[in-house]
Amino acid sequence: MRWNRVWTVARIDLHRLFISKDYWIPMVILMGIFFVFIPWVLLGVVTRPQSLEIVAQIGEVLTSLPGAAGDVVQGETPQARAAYSLAVFLLAPVAIVVPLTISSAVGAQAIVGERERGIGEFLAHSPLSVKEIYAGKLLASAIPGYVATLVGFSIYALIVNFRAGPLVGGWFFPTTGWWLLILWVVPPFLLVALSIIVRLSARVQSTAAAQQAASLISLPIIMASYVATSGFVLDPTLAAAIVGTVAWIFAIWGLASGARAMNRERLLGVGIEVSKAS
Amino acid sequence: MTPKMTSPQSDPSEGIHLNGVSRTFGDIRAVDDLTIGVPAGSVAVLLGPNGAGKTTTVRLITGSLRPDAGSISVLGLDPGKDGDEIRRRCGVVPPKPALYDRLTGRDNLVYAARIWDVPQDTIDEAAARFGIDDALHLKVSGYSTGMRTRLALARSVLHDPEVLLLDEPTAGLDPESARAVLDLIRELAGTGRTVIMATHLLHEAEGIADQVILMGAGNARAAGHPLELAARYMKDPVVIIDAENRDLLKDLDSRAGVKATSWNGALHVTLESLETLPDMISELVTDGVRITRIEPMAATLEHLYFEMQRQLGEVPPPQVPS
């Protein structure tokens, strides 16, 4: 596999996405909702002096957690501890939801979209190997989601520190757990989902069907990631290490299996045309 | 144009050779025991109606599809094993131009240049060759169908391929653009490349083909240089006869050694020998036929096609250009 060719395939898709407002405007809105609006509002609520009842409820939840979790939460006052918990634990799964949503939208049409445009025929007759095409499409799907996450994560860090920092006692975000989440856990979850979605994109008849299938794939992965990241409350470093390692194993298996399943006939859609006709 | 050797037994290390190739999709037998040979540097036209197996044949040649049976040799290589190398040395124009609409013409060519690993300075040269260089900065969505085809043609020759595979290159074009594209293909064919053009339009093969391969139901019904085929399938002289009172010509078919078929109103009369023509004309005049036209017919590919079809049977009629 020649990586310059993989990058050629990925780059043209990224270029198309970059100049396509109907793609990146919803992406920016999604990022805005999850990384800016929701944290801004929620942190705003718990840091208000009038929010004593909410703060008390969060405090009760925190006291019911195992001892290790309690040790992790920083802050001298109940309000500070509530703000810290919200910023560090409650919104952690957002880091998975955003890239999966964005990337699955691109990945879903990675192959079937090319076929509908006739580009599948061009790629099938090109000297690119199917593995290079698969890897290129996968990369082009993963990059927008992951870049959006990195940008969103940076903005989120600023918001968290700006709103909750003064209560907690200074800038405290990102924590070690969040660094591990973004750099070690999110990428394999994204790759697991995309390895299945791009594979499905080569098998379905239309982009609409691919989008449906992508939603079905994304949902359980988002739920799994939610469950996994909630374990960060107990011991962020250990949880991230375990969850990330398991996810990487699945990702590597998924990518290898997806690459093996690709062939030129899927780019041409010949088997699909026949099943459609019959 | 000099007829070239068109037998599948020509040097297998050169050109394109398919031997007993079959490919099915479910219950559909797209290509059925197909044997053809296209010598290096020659132009072959795959001629046949839609569904005859032309596109599948092109896909088999580049190795994009694997055959169920038979063997294929392209430039001495097996597409099943050396597909990447074959595709590196082939230029393909698919039936749909296969371009990114939201990108400019140049972006599309840059993409191909990177895939084939050729310097980008070849882009302007290829674009100029097909008269599309002035529009390279425009988005392809604004291109006419003719411009798209020209861009696809320019893309197909960027890497200076040894083999060109053109699948319905004039599909959807207006007559003027189609003629311009055919002229460009003629020019390419003159540069020593091996060219296979699939088409269902008979006139497109005229003047281009070293070899016409008549396809039907996934098989080559007949193959050869147009002159060879004319000699094979149009042995008897044909004369076009027309008259003011055409109804009086209807009994012409009943004469010994005469076979008449109607074509656009006029009669195509096949004679066993031209020596019978003077007597036949004299008798027609005596019978009151007011003859307006008597013309020996030069065998065009179109007539040849229908004559082959008639003699071979089975092949459904192709689309005749209006």
Side-chain angles (χ1 to χ4, degrees):
Chain A
M1 190 152 69
R2 289 168 61 175
W3 286 100
N4 61 334
R5 286 179 169 185
V6 172
W7 180 237
T8 295
V9 174
R11 183 159 63 177
I12 192 124
D13 281 2
L14 293 171
H15 183 185
R16 283 173 42 237
L17 292 176
F18 185 72
I19 60 171
S20 171
K21 282 182 188 168
D22 49 2
Y23 173 75
W24 61 259
I25 287 178
M27 185 174 99
V28 169
I29 292 171
L30 187 76
M31 275 171 61
I33 290 170
F34 280 100
F35 285 118
V36 179
F37 181 74
I38 292 175
W40 184 271
V41 170
L42 289 180
L43 288 171
V45 168
V46 296
T47 52
R48 273 170 48 197
Q50 304 91 315
S51 306
L52 290 175
E53 195 180 333
I54 298 169
V55 170
Q57 284 171 354
I58 295 173
E60 277 176 34
V61 173
L62 291 176
T63 53
S64 67
L65 289 174
D71 297 342
V72 169
V73 179
Q74 294 177 25
E76 296 298 322
T77 64
Q79 211 162 23
R81 291 170 66 81
Y84 182 94
S85 307
L86 197 68
V88 175
F89 303 128
L90 195 67
L91 295 171
V94 167
I96 301 282
V97 174
V98 172
L100 270 181
T101 309
I102 291 171
S103 287
S104 65
V106 186
Q109 52 176 311
I111 305 295
V112 68
E114 294 291 60
R115 222 162 43 213
E116 285 180 348
R117 281 184 287 272
I119 305 282
E121 182 98 23
F122 168 72
L123 290 173
H125 293 307
S126 78
L128 295 166
S129 72
V130 283
K131 284 189 174 64
E132 287 165 347
I133 295 168
Y134 176 78
K137 294 293 174 191
L138 202 113
L139 205 58
S141 310
I143 287 174
Y146 196 60
V147 167
T149 303
L150 291 178
V151 172
F153 170 64
S154 306
I155 296 168
Y156 178 69
L158 289 174
I159 290 171
V160 164
N161 288 316
F162 177 74
R163 300 220 79 160
L167 289 174
V168 175
W171 283 45
F172 63 95
F173 195 90
T175 59
T176 311
W178 265 85
W179 278 119
L180 286 167
L181 178 71
I182 296 296
L183 300 176
W184 179 246
V185 180
V186 170
F189 267 105
L190 195 58
L191 292 176
V192 168
L194 285 176
S195 69
I196 302 169
I197 289 168
V198 173
R199 194 170 169 170
L200 277 173
S201 176
R203 287 173 178 265
V204 293
Q205 291 175 8
S206 65
T207 305
Q211 297 284 10
Q212 294 271 28
S215 307
L216 282 174
I217 297 300
S218 301
L219 199 63
I221 291 178
I222 286 171
M223 287 168 70
S225 65
Y226 209 99
V227 171
T229 49
S230 63
F232 284 29
V233 176
L234 302 174
D235 186 338
T237 311
L238 182 66
I242 294 170
V243 170
T245 304
V246 172
W248 272 113
I249 291 168
F250 275 104
I252 290 164
W253 173 80
L255 293 175
S257 164
R260 277 198 304 272
M262 269 289 283
N263 58 47
R264 288 181 190 276
E265 302 200 2
R266 296 212 188 288
L267 290 169
L268 297 168
V270 284
I272 295 156
E273 283 165 15
V274 169
S275 61
K276 208 171 163 182
S278 58
Chain B
M1 197 175 286
T2 312
K4 293 180 182 171
M5 210 267 279
T6 56
S7 153
Q9 283 78 41
S10 58
D11 185 356
S13 67
E14 295 179 347
I16 299 165
H17 302 268
L18 283 78
N19 196 2
V21 173
S22 297
R23 173 66 206 228
T24 55
F25 302 115
D27 297 333
I28 301 165
R29 210 164 177 78
V31 168
D32 186 12
D33 196 22
L34 177 65
T35 297
I36 57 173
V38 181
S42 72
V43 180
V45 173
L46 302 180
L47 190 62
N50 294 331
K54 305 185 297 292
T55 297
T56 303
T57 303
V58 169
R59 289 170 169 180
L60 286 164
I61 289 169
T62 65
S64 302
L65 286 181
R66 299 286 179 100
D68 297 330
S71 63
I72 304 172
S73 168
V74 180
L75 303 167
L77 301 167
D78 176 359
K81 293 177 190 155
D82 310 303
D84 288 349
E85 174 64 11
I86 288 171
R87 287 184 288 273
R88 197 181 62 74
R89 294 162 71 180
C90 282
V92 181
V93 177
K96 208 172 157 184
L99 300 160
Y100 286 112
D101 276 8
R102 291 189 178 188
L103 302 184
T104 64
R106 180 175 296 280
D107 289 336
N108 275 277
L109 294 185
V110 166
Y111 182 46
R114 285 188 177 132
I115 287 175
W116 268 271
D117 207 11
V118 292
Q120 293 190 20
D121 53 15
T122 56
I123 288 172
D124 290 309
E125 193 187 323
R129 186 174 192 176
F130 292 92
I132 201 78
D133 47 332
D134 289 341
L136 282 185
H137 65 288
L138 300 173
K139 283 190 178 177
V140 172
S141 54
Y143 279 24
S144 67
T145 313
M147 289 165 78
R148 284 165 190 259
T149 303
R150 285 162 184 257
L151 188 64
L153 279 164
R155 183 178 61 184
S156 72
V157 298
L158 264 184
H159 54 293
D160 196 19
E162 292 159 67
V163 172
L164 263 175
L165 302 165
L166 312 164
D167 192 357
E168 309 273 3
T170 60
L173 294 185
D174 60 82
E176 196 180 337
S177 300
R179 174 172 289 193
V181 167
L182 287 172
D183 286 344
L184 293 168
I185 292 168
R186 276 192 195 93
E187 187 195 320
L188 286 175
T191 59
R193 291 178 172 88
T194 307
V195 180
I196 292 184
M197 182 171 84
T199 181
H200 62 280
L201 296 173
L202 296 159
H203 70 285
E204 291 193 345
E206 203 86 63
I208 290 182
D210 293 316
Q211 180 186 192
V212 172
I213 299 165
L214 179 70
M215 290 192 71
N219 203 317
R221 300 298 192 202
H225 187 273
L227 294 179
E228 287 174 32
L229 294 174
R232 201 185 312 162
Y233 292 98
M234 298 181 76
K235 281 181 274 194
D236 297 330
V238 179
V239 178
I240 302 169
I241 298 178
D242 204 357
E244 282 179 6
N245 40 358
R246 283 178 178 167
D247 54 317
L248 293 181
L249 292 173
K250 66 176 186 267
D251 294 332
L252 207 56
D253 216 12
S254 60
R255 290 169 186 264
V258 175
K259 183 171 64 61
T261 49
S262 177
W263 184 264
N264 293 335
L267 279 186
H268 284 195
V269 181
T270 307
L271 304 167
E272 278 182 359
S273 165
L274 272 179
E275 287 172 9
T276 61
L277 184 63
D279 288 343
M280 190 180 78
I281 299 300
S282 175
E283 285 170 25
L284 285 172
V285 171
T286 306
D287 292 346
V289 178
R290 293 175 63 81
I291 294 173
T292 56
R293 183 184 179 193
I294 304 173
E295 184 187 336
M297 196 186 82
T300 65
L301 199 54
E302 193 165 340
H303 299 128
L304 175 61
Y305 180 93
F306 285 109
E307 186 56 26
M308 284 161 66
Q309 181 196 329
R310 191 186 65 76
Q311 291 184 33
L312 295 166
E314 299 172 29
V315 182
Q319 181 180 327
V320 179
S322 54

